[in-house]
Amino acid sequence: MPRVPLEPRFTIEYLSVLDSDGNLDTTLEPQISPDDLKRLYRAMLLGRRLDERMVRLQRQGRIGTFAPIKGQEASQMGSVFTLRPTDWMVPSFRETGAMLWRGWPIEKILLFFAGYLEGGQPAPDHHDLPITVPVATQLPHAVGLAYAAQYRGDDAIVMAYFGDGATSEGDFHEALNFAGVWHVPIVFVCQNNQWAISVPLKKQTHSRTLAQKALAYGFPGIQVDGNDVLAVYAASREAVERARAGDGPTLIECVTYRLGVHTTADDPTRYRSDEEVKEWVRKDPLTRFSAYLQKRNLLEEGLEEKLDDEIAAAVKRFEAAAVADPLTMFDHVYAELPPHLVTQREEMVQRVRSRVIEPPAGGETEQLESPPLRGQRRTSRWPS
C-alpha cells in the first residue's frame, strides 16, 4: 500500500558545557557574571548542606518524611536562576533548592516537613505554588497559571518541575497537550533522575528520550546534562526567552541522578547497585562546578561553615515554634465541610481535649506531649 511521509525523522539535541571533570567547552560557555556564578554555587552548596542536615533531623524524629535533593542541585539552580521574581515557580516535592533560591526561609521548609500547615503557605509576594506530593497533579495547574498570564497580557512565565515518573501520568500528557494548543508561556523542567522510586526509567517508557515527548504536542524539547549547571542554565534561559517572547512552551529533560534515597522512607540498596551509584558520584554537580570555579579563582574559603551556621540558626527558629494545631487540617479544602468531615473534626476535638489534664485549683493546664512523628524514637539510648 503506498504511503506518504508527513514528518521527516525528528531530532533531539543534547547540551553539555562542563564535563564530569569540570573541563569547559569554551564555545558553549554562557555569559554569567562572577558574582552570579558565586551565588549559584552558594545556593547549590546550601541545598546540599541543608539536605544532609534534614536527613539527620528526620532520623532523630525532629521532622517527618521528606525527599532529599542530593545530586540534583544543578538541575534546580541552573533553571530557577533564569526566572524573575514576578514569574511563577511550580514545584513538585523535591525542589528544596529551587525554593531556597526563591526566598523560602529554611525554618518554613522545616515546618512543612514537620506537619505544620503554615510551612506550605507561600508568602504574599511569592509567585510560587506550594509543594505538591501527588505525582504530576501540579502540571495542569501550572498550565492554567500560564494561560492566565497570557490572557491578562502579563509578561510573566511559568516554570514547572517534575520527575521522570511523572511522565507516565495522565496529568503530564494533558498539561503538555493544553500547553501546546494554547501556546502558553511555560517551561517544563523534568528532572530525570533515572528512578521513579524503585522503577527504572527503562520500565517507564520505550522512548529514547523524555524530551522527544514534547514534539508530539507541537513544541520543542531538549535534553541537557542535568549535573552541569551551565548547560541547564543555557537551555533554561533560551526556553524562558522563547516563552516570554510569545513563542510558546518548551520541555527540558535534565539527565541527572538521585544520589540518596527517594524519600527518607526508602531503602535504595534494595533495587540499585553500589557500582551504579559510584559512577554517578563521579559526575557530582557540585564537584564539577567547584572545579570550574577553582580555575576562575571564584571559590570562597569557609563557605561551608558559614552555611552550616545559617542552617543551625534556622533549625533553632523552627524548633521554637509552638505546637501545631491538628484541627487546621480541616480548614482549607472545603468552604463548607461535608457531614462526614464534620464528624471527623468533632472526633478530633474530643481527642485533643482528652489529652489535656484538668488543672488543679489555681494551677495551670498541663498538656501531654504530642504524638510521635513517623519513625520517631520514643526511647533514649542515653541515661536520663
Side-chain angles (χ1 to χ4, degrees):
M1 180 180 293
R3 300 179 184 181
V4 178
L6 295 179
E7 289 277 4
R9 185 174 177 81
F10 63 81
T11 301
I12 291 292
E13 295 179 331
Y14 177 80
L15 179 61
S16 175
V17 180
L18 279 176
D19 69 16
S20 56
D21 296 318
N23 297 313
L24 177 71
D25 184 337
T26 55
T27 63
L28 297 175
E29 183 180 15
Q31 296 302 308
I32 304 176
S33 71
D35 284 346
D36 281 341
L37 287 171
K38 290 195 284 189
R39 288 175 62 216
L40 271 172
Y41 181 72
R42 184 188 189 282
M44 290 172 64
L45 189 58
L46 175 61
R48 175 70 61 90
R49 301 296 288 185
L50 176 59
D51 206 60
E52 293 169 348
R53 182 64 189 273
M54 287 177 71
V55 170
R56 295 197 296 275
L57 290 173
Q58 194 277 335
R59 298 306 191 223
Q60 294 163 357
R62 295 157 73 183
I63 63 172
T65 296
F66 81 101
I69 66 167
K70 186 176 183 179
Q72 300 182 212
E73 296 88 351
S75 294
Q76 295 185 24
M77 297 308 176
S79 51
V80 76
F81 176 64
T82 61
L83 295 183
R84 299 173 180 170
T86 50
D87 293 330
W88 286 87
M89 194 276 287
V90 180
S92 60
F93 53 82
R94 199 188 299 280
E95 278 68 50
T96 308
M99 292 174 70
L100 290 171
W101 182 269
R102 297 281 287 178
W104 287 69
I106 292 173
E107 56 269 31
K108 194 164 191 174
I109 294 172
L110 296 174
L111 284 171
F112 177 84
F113 289 109
Y116 284 72
L117 182 72
E118 299 83 352
Q121 184 176 21
D125 59 342
H126 260 156
H127 282 205
D128 299 344
L129 294 195
I131 292 170
T132 306
V133 176
V135 175
T137 57
Q138 77 279 16
L139 299 180
H141 303 161
V143 175
L145 278 174
Y147 181 67
Q150 182 189 64
Y151 181 80
R152 297 170 59 175
D154 293 347
D155 70 348
I157 68 107
V158 179
M159 182 169 283
Y161 289 91
F162 53 99
D164 44 292
T167 64
S168 295
E169 296 286 344
D171 280 341
F172 166 80
H173 295 279
E174 292 161 11
L176 265 67
N177 186 49
F178 278 113
V181 169
W182 291 335
H183 211 56
V184 294
I186 186 168
V187 180
F188 297 99
V189 180
C190 175
Q191 297 182 78
N192 172 10
N193 67 17
Q194 316 297 320
W195 290 90
I197 309 183
S198 58
V199 179
L201 183 64
K202 65 183 179 184
K203 291 188 178 180
Q204 288 282 335
T205 180
H206 195 54
S207 299
R208 183 170 179 182
T209 72
L210 298 176
Q212 70 197 64
K213 295 179 185 291
L215 305 184
Y217 299 105
F219 56 88
I222 184 171
Q223 189 184 75
V224 303
D225 181 344
N227 284 10
D228 173 358
V229 68
L230 299 183
V232 176
Y233 164 76
S236 301
R237 183 187 60 185
E238 183 179 296
V240 165
E241 289 175 353
R242 180 183 300 116
R244 210 180 302 282
D247 293 329
T250 303
L251 169 61
I252 300 173
E253 177 191 357
C254 298
V255 180
T256 181
Y257 193 77
R258 159 169 61 80
L259 291 174
V261 294
H262 170 73
T263 70
T264 47
D266 173 44
D267 177 7
T269 64
R270 298 176 67 87
Y271 55 81
R272 66 184 191 185
S273 68
D274 290 342
E275 290 73 23
E276 178 183 305
V277 177
K278 287 177 183 175
E279 181 62 25
W280 279 95
V281 167
R282 200 178 66 80
K283 305 173 187 175
D284 189 317
L286 274 165
T287 304
R288 71 169 76 174
F289 192 38
S290 64
Y292 168 75
L293 296 180
Q294 183 76 49
K295 292 173 184 173
R296 297 191 57 173
N297 197 28
L298 291 176
L299 282 182
E300 178 185 343
E301 288 190 13
L303 181 57
E304 286 197 4
E305 290 74 15
K306 290 179 183 177
L307 295 178
D308 287 346
D309 290 344
E310 184 179 326
I311 293 168
V315 171
K316 284 185 179 177
R317 292 193 293 272
F318 151 65
E319 295 196 315
V323 175
D325 179 359
L327 294 178
T328 57
M329 76 171 83
F330 297 97
D331 287 350
H332 299 289
V333 177
Y334 296 95
E336 184 176 341
L337 283 179
H340 70 285
L341 289 182
V342 171
T343 303
Q344 290 181 22
R345 189 182 189 283
E346 285 304 313
E347 182 179 342
M348 177 62 78
V349 169
Q350 295 305 319
R351 289 191 181 195
V352 171
R353 285 177 178 167
S354 71
R355 296 187 62 79
V356 178
I357 300 174
E358 292 299 325
E364 295 183 352
T365 299
E366 179 185 354
Q367 290 192 347
L368 297 180
E369 59 182 332
S370 59
L373 294 166
R374 183 177 181 182
Q376 181 176 1
R377 182 189 295 274
R378 268 304 202 187
T379 57
S380 173
R381 70 186 68 179
W382 311 111
S384 57

